[in-house]
Amino acid sequence: MDKNYKKEGKYSYYEAGEGTPIVILHGLMGGLSNFDAVAEYFPTKGYKVVIPDLPIYTQSILKTNVKSFAKYVKDFITFKGFDKVILLGNSLGGHIALYHTKLYPEKVAGLVITGSSGLYESAMGDSYPKRGDYEYIRKKAEAVFYDPKIATPELIDEVYATVNDRIKLIKTLTIAKSAIRHNMAKDLPKMTAETCIIWGKNDAVTPPNVAEEFDKLLPNSSLYWIDKCGHAAMMEHPEEFNKILEEWLVKKNL
């Protein structure tokens, strides 16, 4: 991923391929590498994959909220000179993608959400978090996946470091409150963007009924399930995730 990682002005991002831009939004604890399989696959299919580093822990506390992150994404899309994009978001990234689509529908050709917050907010962790308790953090990280082995020691160490950083912890809790404030239930019926919902059948963070609710409330949505899969489908079943997404993009002529 390194050779395609760029820094321009205030933006740091990964970019590969040519064609219709797929702009990917990572989650609260998720890095750009969560989307390695998507980033490798879609440039071979005629898409430009762009993954900006979201300023989750670097903006002032007043700008640490879903609405500000959505505006940041809009500014990034403008900076890149993209007319319309396909937005893909996981977890908090899905929520930001949804909120961006609400505010700037003219920028969104299509929307893809997986394990998204926005309706049900234990996504941020209900008993969050016990600082200094590595074992607790390990169990929390493993619970994100159907197969706990996907939570590698490196991933667990990263989450542990985040929750033990006082400023990051304060910002994480600020985002959790913002996610509850920016509940999307009333907005979704007015959002007409073509939407692909890809969900793990065994998602314990945003359970399957959340996906069904998104599908019910969004006027132009298609819901796809991945079996034996938790909260991060693009990591746990990358080939199946890519296949579903590609078929949907072709079907919708995006």
Side-chain angles (χ1 to χ4, degrees):
M1 201 175 239
D2 291 352
K3 67 180 168 55
N4 294 315
Y5 190 73
K6 305 177 178 183
K7 275 181 173 269
E8 292 179 350
K10 67 174 183 175
Y11 301 108
S12 303
Y13 61 97
Y14 169 92
E15 182 176 54
E18 290 301 328
T20 304
I22 299 176
V23 175
I24 297 176
L25 307 179
H26 60 80
L28 187 61
M29 297 287 179
L32 276 56
S33 62
N34 292 15
F35 292 92
D36 277 354
V38 177
E40 284 164 20
Y41 185 78
F42 282 93
T44 69
K45 299 294 176 180
Y47 293 91
K48 180 191 281 288
V49 172
V50 188
I51 317 176
D53 260 324
L54 297 174
I56 286 173
Y57 296 119
T58 54
Q59 295 207 131
S60 74
I61 201 85
L62 294 174
K63 288 187 176 177
T64 302
N65 59 66
V66 172
K67 188 175 180 179
S68 289
F69 296 146
K71 184 178 183 312
Y72 181 92
V73 171
K74 193 269 280 183
D75 291 345
F76 175 71
I77 290 169
T78 303
F79 168 79
K80 288 298 294 171
F82 299 146
D83 179 27
K84 286 194 163 203
V85 304
I86 294 152
L87 272 184
L88 189 173
N90 170 242
S91 202
L92 174 68
H95 197 163
I96 295 166
L98 284 158
Y99 209 82
H100 176 281
T101 304
K102 171 196 165 178
L103 294 177
Y104 315 106
E106 71 285 354
K107 289 279 179 197
V108 181
L111 180 62
V112 185
I113 56 172
T114 179
S116 178
S117 60
L119 283 178
Y120 171 81
E121 300 322 335
S122 97
M124 304 299 159
D126 37 14
S127 53
Y128 198 144
K130 292 186 186 172
R131 296 174 75 192
D133 187 341
Y134 189 86
E135 192 56 23
Y136 173 83
I137 298 297
R138 182 181 67 76
K139 284 189 178 137
K140 276 293 206 188
E142 288 179 349
V144 168
F145 305 101
Y146 177 79
D147 176 2
K149 289 198 289 296
I150 300 211
T152 60
E154 293 79 14
L155 189 146
I156 296 162
D157 288 348
E158 210 172 294
V159 175
Y160 182 75
T162 298
V163 301
N164 280 283
D165 178 316
R166 200 176 70 84
I167 300 298
K168 285 186 176 178
L169 178 63
I170 290 165
K171 290 194 171 181
T172 299
L173 298 170
T174 303
I175 291 164
K177 286 177 186 159
S178 160
I180 293 164
R181 267 201 324 278
H182 293 95
N183 186 285
M184 303 292 296
K186 290 195 174 83
D187 303 308
L188 298 178
K190 302 191 275 280
M191 290 166 54
T192 56
E194 290 288 354
T195 306
C196 178
I197 304 167
I198 306 175
W199 224 264
K201 270 193 179 168
N202 311 89
D203 188 340
V205 182
T206 44
N209 63 297
V210 179
E212 288 164 354
E213 190 71 7
F214 272 122
D215 191 37
K216 190 174 87 181
L217 291 171
L218 284 158
N220 295 315
S221 61
S222 310
L223 173 57
Y224 302 92
W225 298 105
I226 297 182
D227 203 13
K228 295 183 177 169
C229 181
H231 187 56
M234 70 288 167
M235 290 174 75
E236 202 153 6
H237 292 280
E239 286 172 12
E240 195 174 345
F241 183 91
N242 286 345
K243 183 169 174 282
I244 289 168
L245 179 51
E246 185 185 8
E247 285 176 1
W248 179 81
L249 289 167
V250 169
K251 187 175 159 190
K252 297 298 177 183
N253 202 25
L254 292 171

